[in-house]
Amino acid sequence: VSLSTLLLNVNQVSGYIPSQIGALSLVTTLYLNSNMLTGSIPESVGNLSHIHLLQFDHNQLNGTVPSTLKKLGSTLKELYLNNNQFNGAIPSEFGRLTLLSILGLNSNFLDGEIPSEIGFLKPMRHLSLDNNLLSGIVPSEIGVLTSMVQFTLNNNLLNGTLPTQLARLTLLNWFMIDSNSVSLAEGQYSSSICTLIRSCQNTQILTSICSKCYTLATLSPSPSPNTSPVSSKSSAPFTIMFFLELIVFLFRF
């Protein structure tokens, strides 16, 4: 018997994520979101060698985002770390997650610059970096992510001019850049970016970028529609150690 999917979300699970989580090497989808988990993500998460989806969002996790996630580059397609208390920089090693199509890092305390290595994530469709403390410029490498549909950068400390390469993201229908200090450089490409922004859906909010309307909404990635996360809450909190020790014991043989 092998365990491929583990759903512990929305259960008031509390405590730290134990290092034993790395023993679940055959798990492909792991939902720990919407609980009361604290502490950091253990380095052993890099041992989840068959994982396709990791959902840790909407907890109280802190510390830095572990660079050991780079070891999941041959399998990981969706990563949700949003709505936690992570700090520090976005690891440049994320550039090795070359199958990643959804990355939720919004609503944390991440700082530093957006790493240029993010341009290696060619399948990327949803990239959520809003509501952090990110600074510096928007890297031009973003322009190679031509499959991008949703891209949020609002409420950061970004500055400089938007790269001309953004005009290549013709599939965008959800783009947010408000509450930063970015601008458009002079040149013909500026009209292309403004056209892109105007084409986004639900145009409501004026922006100083183009003095046109564009999307303003919060991207908070959710599980795929064909999944059925646990929706009932426990009457009392459980510790994640209890669940994982039981699961590892039952499925280690």
Side-chain angles (χ1 to χ4, degrees):
V1 179
S2 61
L3 181 69
S4 63
T5 300
L6 177 58
L7 294 91
L8 294 176
N9 54 316
V10 199
N11 269 300
Q12 300 186 57
V13 178
S14 64
Y16 294 88
I17 299 175
S19 60
Q20 289 92 329
I21 196 171
L24 303 175
S25 58
L26 297 180
V27 167
T28 59
T29 53
L30 177 58
Y31 293 95
L32 294 177
N33 56 294
S34 302
N35 283 298
M36 298 183 293
L37 298 174
T38 56
S40 59
I41 296 177
E43 295 288 323
S44 61
V45 75
N47 297 329
L48 301 176
S49 55
H50 288 78
I51 200 75
H52 293 164
L53 182 152
L54 273 176
Q55 194 149 358
F56 290 142
D57 57 283
H58 290 87
N59 280 290
Q60 301 168 38
L61 298 171
N62 54 43
T64 58
V65 177
S67 60
T68 187
L69 288 168
K70 67 185 178 183
K71 296 167 63 177
L72 308 179
S74 62
T75 59
L76 189 61
K77 296 179 180 179
E78 300 182 26
L79 177 60
Y80 304 91
L81 300 178
N82 50 289
N83 295 87
N84 279 290
Q85 299 170 20
F86 293 115
N87 55 51
I90 299 173
S92 60
E93 290 86 355
F94 269 21
R96 301 187 187 183
L97 301 176
T98 54
L99 297 182
L100 207 59
S101 63
I102 299 178
L103 176 58
L105 293 175
N106 57 294
S107 302
N108 282 290
F109 298 98
L110 299 174
D111 56 26
E113 298 186 352
I114 300 171
S116 60
E117 289 82 359
I118 212 159
F120 292 120
L121 309 181
K122 300 295 178 61
M124 185 62 63
R125 293 183 294 110
H126 295 191
L127 179 57
S128 178
L129 303 178
D130 55 280
N131 291 287
N132 279 292
L133 301 170
L134 300 173
S135 58
I137 62 173
V138 178
S140 60
E141 288 79 3
I142 293 289
V144 304
L145 305 181
T146 54
S147 296
M148 194 102 76
V149 175
Q150 298 185 1
F151 183 28
T152 58
L153 290 169
N154 53 297
N155 291 302
N156 277 291
L157 304 172
L158 299 170
N159 55 47
T161 57
L162 288 177
T164 62
Q165 291 83 356
L166 278 183
R168 300 174 184 170
L169 306 183
T170 56
L171 297 182
L172 270 184
N173 61 26
W174 201 332
F175 178 61
M176 299 163 58
I177 191 71
D178 59 292
S179 299
N180 284 287
S181 299
V182 296
S183 61
L184 282 175
E186 297 294 330
Q188 292 183 346
Y189 85 92
S190 298
S191 62
S192 297
I193 293 181
C194 289
T195 299
L196 180 151
I197 291 174
R198 291 200 302 273
S199 70
C200 291
Q201 298 172 358
N202 302 320
T203 55
Q204 296 176 0
I205 304 300
L206 287 174
T207 170
S208 59
I209 299 294
C210 301
S211 297
K212 300 292 182 181
C213 293
Y214 77 115
T215 300
L216 182 64
T218 300
L219 172 63
S220 182
S222 302
S224 302
N226 60 351
T227 61
S228 301
V230 176
S231 58
S232 60
K233 290 189 175 183
S234 308
S235 59
F238 292 92
T239 65
I240 191 171
M241 181 67 79
F242 169 79
F243 285 112
L244 287 182
E245 286 187 342
L246 176 62
I247 290 166
V248 170
F249 175 79
L250 291 176
F251 291 93
R252 66 181 176 179
F253 300 109

